[in-house]
Amino acid sequence: MIFSPPLVPARLIRRYKRFLFDAVLEDGREITGFCPNTGSMLGLTEPGSRIWLSEHDSPNRKHAHAFELIEAAGTVVGVHAALANRLAEEAIRAGLVADLADYPTIAREQRYGARSRIDFLLSGPDRPAAYVEVKNVHFTRKVGLAEFPDTTTARGARHLTELVEVVRAGQRAVMLYLVQREDCNALRICGDLDPVYAENFAAAIAAGVEAYAVKCRVTPAEIVPLGPIAMDEPRLAAL
């Protein structure tokens, strides 16, 4: 995924009210922009950090700039959560996620479960359909180890329960964690920050839900899915 037009460099002043941030552009102007990430962004909001912004001239937008990348712990990290699906599709089509590239049809945002939409529904002849739920990941506390989630996520826990029902119905269910940073070689479910999610994850794996993680190379010019990284066992002992 190439950023076009090119991103605008800046320095972060603060991120607040979930969807807003203040920054200083290279020409000295202070701006307020939109932060396309509803999570805590734990470890990714340090004032003074180098960041990169997309710039938009639509009259329908309240803010011209959107928060895309931040430099943290010596690496560039993608914070735009909605890009995870686009990058996940690139990873699937490139054959980076198990055998999912073998499915000839990929449908996006399909209804399933009680009140959810699956990110991708893969289908093909003579095989069970594959329901793929994508989660954006950028949190780390230990060198080389990505973690999810970075805060409690009731919605994420519900998705795991619904994926179990998909397996029980005879179809494939896949959790795909898209890591928007290159400095991690494994992903662990973060049981101390969300024990319910960790419990649901363990139950889902036991029921036959598949889980994969793919990391990306992130630069101010582009984000490229690189390949799979290891999935650690859920650390339920920490609960």
Side-chain angles (χ1 to χ4, degrees):
M1 190 208 79
I2 297 174
F3 289 109
S4 181
L7 298 182
V8 176
R11 292 282 177 177
L12 181 65
I13 297 175
R14 62 171 180 154
R15 182 248 188 166
Y16 57 104
K17 294 183 179 178
R18 294 175 68 192
F19 295 110
L20 296 176
F21 73 94
D22 295 333
V24 180
L25 302 180
E26 286 193 324
D27 62 7
R29 286 183 295 145
E30 292 191 11
I31 59 97
T32 295
F34 171 66
C35 182
N37 190 312
T38 61
S40 73
M41 288 177 59
L42 193 60
L44 298 174
T45 59
E46 182 68 25
S49 295
R50 191 180 184 194
I51 63 175
W52 289 266
L53 317 173
S54 55
E55 193 168 24
H56 310 269
D57 58 6
S58 170
N60 298 321
R61 294 179 65 101
K62 183 176 181 180
H63 302 290
H65 295 89
F67 194 166
E68 300 287 347
L69 312 175
I70 186 168
E71 188 174 57
T75 192
V76 180
V77 183
V79 301
H80 191 153
L83 293 183
N85 280 20
R86 178 175 172 182
L87 295 165
E89 184 171 356
E90 289 184 11
I92 290 170
R93 293 186 182 277
L96 302 181
V97 188
D99 63 343
L100 298 187
D102 296 340
Y103 284 86
T105 302
I106 300 180
R108 305 174 187 86
E109 296 289 331
Q110 300 297 298
R111 292 189 180 277
Y112 84 114
R115 57 186 188 279
S116 298
R117 289 179 182 270
I118 197 69
D119 292 312
F120 298 105
L121 177 58
L122 281 55
S123 59
D126 304 319
R127 68 185 72 187
Y131 288 69
V132 182
E133 180 70 29
V134 178
K135 296 300 180 188
N136 182 62
V137 182
H138 45 48
F139 177 47
T140 182
R141 292 178 289 186
K142 180 180 178 182
V143 174
L145 181 65
E147 295 186 85
F148 182 89
D150 64 357
T151 187
T152 56
T153 171
R155 183 170 176 265
R158 187 185 79 241
H159 287 158
L160 288 167
T161 301
E162 291 175 333
L163 289 178
V164 170
E165 295 304 314
V166 168
V167 173
R168 289 175 177 166
Q171 308 299 324
R172 290 178 68 182
V174 176
M175 277 300 316
L176 176 54
Y177 297 94
L178 198 290
V179 182
Q180 287 201 60
R181 57 191 304 156
E182 191 176 354
D183 61 348
C184 294
N185 298 310
L187 182 137
R188 179 173 67 192
I189 300 303
C190 194
D192 60 324
L193 295 184
D194 192 344
V196 173
Y197 186 90
E199 290 172 355
N200 283 19
F201 178 85
I205 296 303
V209 175
E210 303 167 46
Y212 306 101
V214 171
K215 74 174 180 180
C216 297
R217 181 177 66 247
V218 182
T219 74
E222 62 181 0
I223 304 179
V224 180
L226 291 180
I229 60 176
M231 288 290 304
D232 267 18
E233 292 292 325
R235 301 300 175 87
L236 297 181
L239 305 185

